[in-house]
Amino acid sequence: MSIVDAPTYHWTVEEYERLGEGFFGRKRVELLNGEIIEKMSPMGYPHGEAVDRLVEFFILMAKGRYRVRSQAPFILSEDSMPEPDVCLYKKPKVLRHHPKTEHLFLAIEVADSTLRFDRGDKKRAYALQGIPEYWILNLQDDMLEVHRAPVGDQYTTSFTLGGEEIAAPLAFPDVNLRVGDYIP
């Protein structure tokens, strides 16, 4: 039996949270489909700057309609707790746990070294759990990839927007951003 064929342990959110209380230290990890994924590399300037710009924009535009979460987890399913670069979620009266799938309006990943993963496993997981809208700010190609209307593990509507084009979340069509303003 090769190591590839060896069984793996399937983690739950509860186990992952308990494990994270000390074991991971400063490592950047997230739980997706029961697997603990170590983030590929330290965040470079373009990635960090893009995240900061997006967060600032969405907070300014919120006007009490949604909350903005940045690089913090939400509970996607019993065995997935990803940490998108930015997400917009319903403003709860009281929430005593991380936001869950049903709270999210939009999840955004800023992708440079993680582009393949964000377009693959992460996109499929988000679609499968019904995240209504998923954006990838693609820093490799200087574009925004927009994915909407999940069915099964796919989004039925996908398109790209270039630097001069305007994007707005489906839930907040008045929150218009010019894509190029968020690509450092």
Side-chain angles (χ1 to χ4, degrees):
M1 172 188 286
S2 74
I3 194 150
V4 174
D5 298 327
T8 60
Y9 184 81
H10 190 89
W11 297 90
T12 66
V13 167
E14 181 182 348
E15 292 167 329
Y16 176 73
E17 284 184 317
R18 282 198 324 254
L19 186 63
E21 290 172 0
F23 180 78
F24 294 117
R26 295 183 148 284
K27 289 183 181 179
R28 295 178 61 223
V29 296
E30 67 183 4
L31 180 67
L32 190 67
N33 300 323
E35 296 181 9
I36 297 172
I37 310 293
E38 188 167 0
K39 306 257 179 141
M40 299 195 183
S41 60
M43 187 182 302
Y45 169 78
H47 188 131
E49 181 64 19
V51 170
D52 287 350
R53 290 178 189 184
L54 287 166
V55 168
E56 182 178 19
F57 171 77
F58 283 116
I59 288 173
L60 288 171
M61 299 300 290
K63 300 176 184 165
R65 300 177 290 172
Y66 56 81
R67 293 200 59 199
V68 178
R69 193 168 179 92
S70 179
Q71 299 177 333
F74 76 95
I75 300 170
L76 182 64
S77 65
E78 181 181 296
D79 64 355
S80 294
M81 195 163 71
E83 298 180 15
D85 287 308
V86 181
C87 68
L88 309 183
Y89 67 101
K90 294 175 186 169
K91 189 173 179 178
K93 291 180 180 169
V94 175
L95 191 62
R96 300 195 189 287
H97 51 74
H98 291 299
K100 294 183 178 183
T101 299
E102 60 267 19
H103 298 118
L104 262 65
F105 295 112
L106 169 66
I108 304 171
E109 292 293 347
V110 175
D112 38 24
S113 63
T114 61
L115 184 58
R116 184 173 168 201
F117 178 70
D118 294 337
R119 281 179 172 163
D121 292 345
K122 191 165 278 189
K123 184 173 88 171
R124 282 190 296 279
Y126 284 1
L128 190 60
Q129 296 303 322
I131 300 300
E133 189 165 13
Y134 174 49
W135 293 1
I136 301 171
L137 186 61
N138 176 341
L139 298 181
Q140 289 183 13
D141 301 311
D142 294 340
M143 69 175 67
L144 180 68
E145 301 175 12
V146 177
H147 306 283
R148 297 173 170 164
V151 174
D153 67 351
Q154 300 295 316
Y155 283 92
T156 60
T157 302
S158 295
F159 55 91
T160 59
L161 299 171
E164 297 301 317
E165 295 181 275
I166 303 296
L170 282 173
F172 306 101
D174 64 311
V175 177
N176 296 297
L177 64 88
R178 184 183 154 279
V179 173
D181 293 340
Y182 301 90
I183 299 173

